[in-house]
Amino acid sequence: MGWMNPRWGMRKGQPLSSLHVNPGNLPRHVAIIMDGNGRWAHRRGLPRVAGHRAGMKAVKEVTRAADEIGIQVLTLYAFSTENWKRPREEVDYLMRLPQEFLDRELQELDEHGVRVRLIGETDGLPPHTLRAVEAAMGRTRNNTGLILNFALNYGARAELVNAVRSIARRVKDGELRPEDVDEATISAALQTRGLPDPDLLIRTSGELRISNFLLWQIAYSELWFTDVLWPDFTREHLFEAVRAYQSRQRRFGGVDSLPPSDVHSGQ
Ligand code: V07
């Protein structure tokens, strides 16, 4: 069990290494672009799929760590709408990972009260992939702990297109007046409806891009980029990012740093 790692010792049930994460100033929602799996494998002379497999271990460790420090929502970018362009064999392999992960981890996640959720175009997923994730969502629906939100076949622009279409339809049907469309209308039309926006977005592997991940939702997120490849990303790296978030909040936490959405100027 990662959080019982004796290297760090324990105090009041908490590993010493997470003590410097301030429990009062946590990001509620952390989103992660899990990049660098292929590069990790290449550096070891292994096939890309070996990197994806190693990446699953990091998913497990980071989920446990997020739960342990009390993060409310963890959104993980597992498969983008652009990833279909990869070789057929790699895509087939990736599409078996959700089931494999859940077969191994769902029991423990459920026991910890974790709720599994999904964002992305579910229609495009192979039936066996969708079945596994839907079963996990059903089983954990009434849990009240960490929300573990997987982005699968997700693209932010496609999500916004669907949101605009659903709003346009409500306007056309006379349910909604154009002048009543506001930020809350759009937030509620996205697949992340009901979730807080990410406070912290992490991207691994040194790329400094958003790559069509949550575009609307990250308007005011703190961004944390690291050169660490995703399979090498540990609980300590998560805590490092959270501590950086907390120190930024301390330095810029004055009234002036309140995002306009908190002021609701209406403009
Ligand atoms: C995938 C491992 C992590 C690194 C990124 C690419 C490879 C976990 C899941 C998953 C998805 C849904 C779910 C449960 C687990 C996953 C894909 C790829 C496609 F409900 N890891 N992981 N899905 N990788």
Side-chain angles (χ1 to χ4, degrees):
M1 293 205 284
W3 66 83
M4 301 282 272
N5 190 333
R7 260 188 310 148
W8 299 101
M10 303 279 289
R11 187 191 294 170
K12 286 191 177 162
Q14 231 185 356
L16 293 176
S17 56
S18 64
L19 281 181
H20 295 293
V21 170
N22 175 357
N25 187 24
L26 281 169
R28 285 203 292 169
H29 183 172
V30 176
I32 310 184
I33 302 175
M34 308 185 287
D35 198 11
N37 305 286
R39 204 177 312 166
W40 182 93
H42 187 74
R43 285 185 189 171
R44 285 164 175 74
L46 297 169
R48 289 176 58 80
V49 293
H52 297 320
R53 172 159 301 282
M56 277 211 303
K57 270 193 71 180
V59 169
K60 175 183 177 177
E61 176 166 344
V62 167
T63 301
R64 280 178 169 180
D67 180 43
E68 175 188 313
I69 62 174
I71 286 168
Q72 294 174 20
V73 186
L74 180 65
T75 296
L76 301 176
Y77 205 0
F79 193 90
S80 79
T81 48
E82 282 73 42
N83 287 157
W84 297 109
K85 296 176 195 152
R86 293 181 180 182
R88 169 77 192 274
E89 304 74 53
E90 185 179 342
V91 169
D92 288 349
Y93 187 92
L94 285 165
M95 284 300 142
R96 285 196 296 271
L97 291 185
Q99 178 164 21
E100 197 175 314
F101 179 90
L102 293 166
D103 282 349
R104 206 168 333 131
E105 308 299 341
L106 186 59
Q107 176 78 26
E108 185 184 324
L109 293 172
D110 194 22
E111 284 166 6
H112 277 82
V114 172
R115 241 179 312 178
V116 177
R117 280 185 57 162
L118 190 62
I119 57 173
E121 304 220 359
T122 51
D123 302 352
L125 295 173
H128 66 92
T129 308
L130 189 55
R131 266 201 306 275
V133 182
E134 279 183 337
M137 290 194 293
R139 177 164 162 190
T140 62
R141 181 173 305 277
N142 295 320
N143 288 349
T144 56
L146 173 74
I147 295 174
L148 178 56
N149 188 31
F150 286 101
L152 266 189
N153 195 22
Y154 176 85
R157 287 187 171 187
E159 181 189 35
L160 282 161
V161 167
N162 287 330
V164 170
R165 284 182 182 159
S166 72
I167 293 166
R169 179 151 298 283
R170 287 168 58 201
V171 169
K172 181 167 176 260
D173 292 350
E175 291 170 25
L176 188 64
R177 294 180 304 177
E179 59 271 29
D180 290 337
V181 174
D182 59 12
E183 293 189 6
T185 315
I186 294 170
S187 291
L190 298 171
Q191 291 191 299
T192 48
R193 74 185 67 86
L195 301 177
D197 286 338
D199 305 290
L200 173 62
L201 172 70
I202 298 171
R203 180 167 189 158
T204 59
S205 191
E207 305 296 339
L208 307 179
R209 293 189 295 275
I210 300 301
S211 300
N212 204 21
F213 198 29
L214 312 159
L215 293 180
W216 173 269
Q217 298 90 333
I218 62 162
Y220 299 104
S221 303
E222 294 285 341
L223 309 180
W224 173 259
F225 298 99
T226 174
D227 288 337
V228 174
L229 307 179
W230 177 251
D232 293 327
F233 194 88
T234 64
R235 62 205 316 284
E236 289 311 310
H237 295 113
L238 176 71
F239 298 149
E240 187 186 349
V242 168
R243 279 193 297 266
Y245 165 85
Q246 293 180 323
S247 71
R248 292 182 200 176
Q249 292 294 104
R250 269 199 296 279
R251 271 182 288 140
F252 307 118
V255 189
D256 288 344
S257 73
L258 278 180
S261 67
D262 282 9
V263 177
H264 279 294
S265 67
Q267 300 309 310

